[in-house]
Amino acid sequence: MSQTAANSGGISSDGLPPVPLISLRTIPMAGLLVDVYGLDELPASVSRISCLWLHHQRTRNKDHMRDIAARCVGAWNESAGSDTKDRGLIALAYDHRNHGTRLVHDPANGAWREGNKTHAQDMVGGIMGMVGDQTVLLDVVESYLFQDSGEEGQQRKVIDHHLALGVSFGGHSVWQLMFADPRVRAGVAVIGCPDLMNLITDRARLSKLSTYSADTGAATFLGSKDFPPSLVTAACKSDPKGILFGTTPIPSSSSSSDSSSPSTADEDERQRRQILVERLQGKQFLLCNGAEDKLVPPRCGEAFTRWFKEAADKYKESRISVDERTYAGVGHTFSVGMVKDAVEWITEVVKNADADIVAQAKNGKSKI
């Protein structure tokens, strides 16, 4: 797909090398159709497998991840050397709820401007559902793919490493997945947002909803009929900004707080530090944003990302790596530059998978 629609969220391939020919099998897993790329290319000697999970855009389906899946698997297969000969990479994609093979009500995938009165509910619920589905698949994927490995002299294959890449709607779900499941060790959030409540509030402003007031902003919109109280509670449990700050403003730095007393500020910081260490220890993030993105403007996640990077640097024991890249002149699209960077970054993450596994074993497993 070429970059013909600057705000489509599509993958741009103009100027990139041809897509490698990588095998594809669609396998039913736990009631979901999962496209698995690269199974046939796994060498018989490979014993350890990294899984790259791909989360697609809103209004699209798993087929739209075919290009990036093949590029990532192909790049790994080309780069794998003697020091990584025991490790293989496969990529997996499945449909978001109410998308593709799981479509039940197409209007729910639209925004307020397109007549969908429950846009906020559908966004929050759909992303939470994708993360829930992903957790189930992490539990069962090895049993589906390698149930016969190790028999009759075959090399036993074990899935011991997971990473994820998501675009737009899928970028939001990758952010949430990274906070939700300790098994996912690295995430690429392409034109995604870690502050869903702020993003949806901004859309309410642009859509001129009666529940949004320029004078009060999120203070009155969150909890209104267009973003009901129960939805606020759900977002605070699942979205990165909500998990760490609830509906309160993000402080200007990781060492400051808007709390009313020093003792409260200290306790808030202690809790946030604990969340980062317990949920994200040793995890790696690549954040790709289009400077001219109008649908998911970088400013909606800017305050959280700034705080997050400062916190990762401050709390050394968390060993969180945050690589943020903003692409000049790029709108709401998975641009050529983003594709190149994502493929290279993923290859390096998989190359260092064994070191990450050893480090995690030394530090103990994260607990949620």
Side-chain angles (χ1 to χ4, degrees), residues 162-230:
H162 297 275
L163 57 161
L165 177 149
V167 183
S168 191
F169 191 73
H172 312 330
S173 60
V174 164
W175 262 112
Q176 293 194 14
L177 176 64
M178 290 288 282
F179 274 72
D181 199 302
R183 293 170 292 183
V184 182
R185 303 301 305 151
V188 183
V190 179
I191 50 179
C193 185
D195 188 350
L196 202 56
M197 286 185 284
N198 191 33
L199 175 64
I200 294 176
T201 299
D202 191 61
R203 289 185 182 175
R205 176 185 66 84
L206 294 172
S207 300
K208 296 181 170 53
L209 296 189
S210 62
T211 49
Y212 178 86
S213 168
D215 296 329
T216 56
T220 52
F221 173 70
L222 297 178
S224 71
K225 68 176 183 177
D226 290 316
F227 205 117
S230 60

Side-chain angles (χ1 to χ4, degrees), residues 3 6-7 9-14 16 57 67-68 71-72 165-168 171 188-192 286-294 296 298 323-346:
Q3 46 185 337
N7 281 306
I11 297 177
S12 301
S13 58
D14 290 352
L16 290 173
Q57 313 92 314
D67 184 294
I68 191 63
R71 292 185 187 280
C72 288
L165 177 149
V167 183
S168 191
V188 183
V190 179
I191 50 179
L286 175 62
L287 314 177
C288 300
N289 301 307
E292 306 303 321
D293 193 337
K294 305 301 182 185
V296 183
D323 184 346
E324 182 187 22
R325 307 182 190 185
T326 300
Y327 298 77
V330 174
H332 192 69
T333 187
F334 192 0
S335 70
V336 168
M338 293 178 186
V339 172
K340 289 180 178 178
D341 289 350
V343 171
E344 292 176 2
W345 190 87
I346 286 168

Side-chain angles (χ1 to χ4, degrees), residues 55-365:
H55 293 193
H56 65 78
Q57 313 92 314
R58 180 165 58 96
T59 74
R60 303 300 180 89
N61 58 52
K62 58 186 175 64
D63 294 343
H64 286 83
M65 307 310 288
R66 184 186 302 263
D67 184 294
I68 191 63
R71 292 185 187 280
C72 288
V73 173
W76 171 255
N77 291 345
E78 283 188 12
S79 69
S82 59
D83 56 335
T84 55
K85 64 181 180 181
D86 293 334
R87 179 164 297 281
L89 174 67
I90 58 175
L92 306 94
Y94 57 102
D95 289 324
H96 279 279
R97 297 187 180 198
N98 199 40
H99 286 76
T101 58
R102 307 173 72 187
L103 182 65
V104 294
H105 185 57
D106 192 49
N109 292 326
W112 282 305
R113 286 177 169 177
E114 296 158 329
N116 180 18
K117 294 182 179 180
T118 57
H119 177 53
Q121 292 91 324
D122 294 324
M123 285 284 291
V124 174
I127 292 166
M128 290 177 66
M130 185 67 170
V131 174
D133 293 336
Q134 181 68 85
T135 298
V136 172
L137 289 173
L138 292 176
D139 288 336
V140 303
V141 61
E142 183 181 308
S143 69
Y144 277 101
L145 298 184
F146 304 118
Q147 65 186 102
D148 296 327
S149 72
E151 295 185 356
E152 299 178 2
Q154 296 182 45
Q155 174 65 57
R156 182 170 181 264
K157 291 178 168 50
V158 176
I159 295 175
D160 62 354
H161 184 239
H162 297 275
L163 57 161
L165 177 149
V167 183
S168 191
F169 191 73
H172 312 330
S173 60
V174 164
W175 262 112
Q176 293 194 14
L177 176 64
M178 290 288 282
F179 274 72
D181 199 302
R183 293 170 292 183
V184 182
R185 303 301 305 151
V188 183
V190 179
I191 50 179
C193 185
D195 188 350
L196 202 56
M197 286 185 284
N198 191 33
L199 175 64
I200 294 176
T201 299
D202 191 61
R203 289 185 182 175
R205 176 185 66 84
L206 294 172
S207 300
K208 296 181 170 53
L209 296 189
S210 62
T211 49
Y212 178 86
S213 168
D215 296 329
T216 56
T220 52
F221 173 70
L222 297 178
S224 71
K225 68 176 183 177
D226 290 316
F227 205 117
S230 60
L231 198 63
V232 175
T233 300
C236 287
K237 291 179 180 178
S238 59
D239 202 48
K241 189 270 181 181
I243 290 169
L244 289 161
F245 296 98
T247 59
T248 62
I250 300 170
S252 56
S253 73
S254 63
S255 59
S256 63
S257 175
D258 294 330
S259 300
S260 57
S261 68
S263 61
T264 302
D266 290 344
E267 177 59 18
D268 288 346
E269 181 172 355
R270 186 197 68 78
Q271 290 181 358
R272 289 170 188 147
R273 181 176 190 161
Q274 182 178 356
I275 289 171
L276 293 181
V277 172
E278 289 185 349
R279 296 192 179 216
L280 303 178
Q281 189 175 58
K283 292 196 176 190
Q284 301 173 74
F285 293 75
L286 175 62
L287 314 177
C288 300
N289 301 307
E292 306 303 321
D293 193 337
K294 305 301 182 185
L295 188 61
V296 183
R299 58 181 166 75
C300 288
E302 183 179 14
F304 178 86
T305 303
R306 180 179 61 247
W307 180 91
F308 187 53
K309 291 193 296 184
E310 291 177 359
D313 184 62
K314 179 180 179 181
Y315 307 138
K316 301 296 185 183
E317 73 275 23
S318 70
R319 297 185 294 107
I320 300 169
S321 170
V322 186
D323 184 346
E324 182 187 22
R325 307 182 190 185
T326 300
Y327 298 77
V330 174
H332 192 69
T333 187
F334 192 0
S335 70
V336 168
M338 293 178 186
V339 172
K340 289 180 178 178
D341 289 350
V343 171
E344 292 176 2
W345 190 87
I346 286 168
T347 301
E348 283 302 307
V349 168
V350 177
K351 189 178 296 183
N352 294 310
D354 293 340
D356 177 58
I357 292 168
V358 170
Q360 281 303 102
K362 286 183 178 179
N363 286 278
K365 294 181 179 179

